[in-house]
């Protein structure tokens, strides 16, 4: 595991975007695993800049997003499909037909999970999976528990997760109670994993995830089992890493 701590946001974002751009330059048909939330936004902005400068192309790439809220219309401003379109897809040359986000409006959610996992298996493995980390150690929407699900599945969101995400909505009541997420097993199949964390409030969970024991009570700790993980932290998030 390669953990790097940065003094400024610009260098962190440039390093993360550089890893993704280098992959695309050597493997134009790469499969990208993408994430939402505040952690990857700066990296997406850097990738857009690199594309605008003609330094990288997404024309032959495909992507799979980690998760999506259940019951939120695709056009809702906080759906993860809307997020990806606004933060990245609409500004680069990726073929939208090769961008995959779980369908949280599916009539049969279990069937959607099975089909999403089949698409992952058919087009994967993911070459590089981008991750954030929740305050409780969740990756994707894999919440802490006595056991974890390996494949794509429907999950009930814990109250602390809904509270953390309420800042994106008008109230916590608007935050969906369920999501579709790749399972931990699905995530760990990626050839490389790139995890981003920022801010003082992530310092404790970063220490727990990467310096503590491997346990389902902190799903991110299972990343310690993966052979190729890069963790990019700002100084605040990395203050407890030794």
């Amino acid at each position: 595991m390669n953990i790097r701590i940065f003094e400024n946001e610009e260098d962190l974002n440039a390093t993360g975007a550089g890893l993704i751009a280098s992959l695309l330059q050597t493997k134009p048909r790469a499969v990208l695993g993408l994430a939402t939330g505040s952690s990857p936004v700066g990296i997406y902005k850097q990738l857009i800049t690199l594309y605008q400068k003609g330094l990288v192309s997404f024309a032959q790439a495909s992507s799979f997003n980690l998760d999506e809220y259940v019951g939120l219309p695709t056009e809702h401003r906080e759906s993860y499909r809307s997020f990806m379109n606004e933060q990245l897809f609409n500004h680069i040359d990726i073929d939208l037909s090769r961008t995959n986000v779980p369908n949280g409006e599916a009539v049969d959610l279990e069937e959607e999970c099975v089909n999403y996992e089949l698409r992952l298996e058919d087009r994967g493995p993911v070459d590089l999976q981008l991750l954030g980390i929740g305050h409780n150690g969740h990756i994707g929407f894999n919440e802490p528990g006595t056991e974890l699900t390996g494949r794509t599945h429907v999950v009930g969101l814990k109250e602390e997760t809904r509270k953390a995400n309420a800042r994106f909505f008008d109230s916590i009541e608007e935050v969906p109670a369920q999501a579709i997420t790749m399972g931990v097993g699905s995530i760990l199949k990626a050839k490389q994993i790139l995890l981003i964390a920022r801010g003082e409030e992530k310092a404790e969970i970063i220490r727990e995830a990467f310096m503590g024991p491997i346990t389902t009570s902190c799903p991110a700790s299972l990343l310690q089992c993966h052979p190729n993980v890069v963790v990019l932290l700002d100084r605040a998030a990395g203050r407890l890493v030794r």
Side-chain angles (χ1 to χ4, degrees), residues 12-211:
L12 190 161
N13 293 332
T15 299
L19 287 171
I20 297 170
S22 294
L23 169 63
L24 290 167
Q25 288 159 356
T26 57
K27 187 177 182 181
R29 295 184 179 275
V31 179
L32 303 176
L34 300 178
T36 54
S38 56
S39 296
V41 169
I43 289 173
Y44 292 155
K45 288 180 179 177
Q46 287 277 349
L47 286 171
I48 292 167
T49 298
L50 292 174
Y51 163 70
Q52 291 171 340
K53 291 181 177 179
L55 298 175
V56 66
S57 172
F58 299 80
Q60 299 180 63
S62 57
S63 69
F64 284 86
N65 262 75
L66 282 166
D67 42 30
E68 177 61 283
Y69 288 118
V70 166
L72 211 60
T74 299
E75 63 274 11
H76 191 285
R77 70 183 191 280
E78 295 303 334
S79 79
Y80 288 164
R81 167 57 77 176
S82 290
F83 176 99
M84 291 308 305
N85 288 346
E86 293 173 9
Q87 298 294 334
L88 184 63
F89 296 155
N90 289 347
H91 310 286
I92 58 175
D93 60 344
I94 197 164
D95 181 346
L96 285 177
S97 70
R98 290 206 292 267
T99 64
N100 297 273
V101 181
N103 179 11
E105 295 185 278
V107 174
D108 188 330
L109 293 174
E110 295 301 328
E111 183 180 20
E112 171 63 15
C113 293
V114 170
N115 290 338
Y116 201 74
E117 191 72 26
L118 287 173
R119 293 203 300 274
L120 269 169
E121 292 176 358
D122 181 56
R123 303 180 195 180
V126 169
D127 290 291
L128 186 151
Q129 176 65 62
L130 185 60
L131 294 177
I133 181 172
H135 293 84
N136 61 5
H138 72 238
I139 48 176
F141 270 133
N142 292 283
E143 300 279 31
T146 56
E147 57 186 28
L148 295 172
T149 301
R151 298 167 69 86
T152 302
H153 61 286
V154 177
V155 62
L157 301 181
K158 291 188 178 294
E159 192 66 14
E160 60 260 37
T161 298
R162 295 182 70 231
K163 286 180 179 178
N165 288 0
R167 68 189 189 277
F168 301 117
F169 294 80
D170 293 332
S171 68
I172 190 171
E173 288 74 22
E174 293 187 13
V175 182
Q178 290 183 304
I180 295 175
T181 184
M182 284 188 200
V184 173
S186 309
I187 292 170
L188 291 175
K189 288 178 182 178
K191 295 179 182 178
Q192 182 177 32
I193 292 173
L194 173 59
L195 184 140
I196 312 296
R198 313 171 194 268
E200 175 73 23
E201 70 277 5
K202 294 294 179 72
E204 290 286 351
I205 198 62
I206 287 294
R207 177 173 65 178
E208 183 178 344
F210 300 120
M211 315 302 289

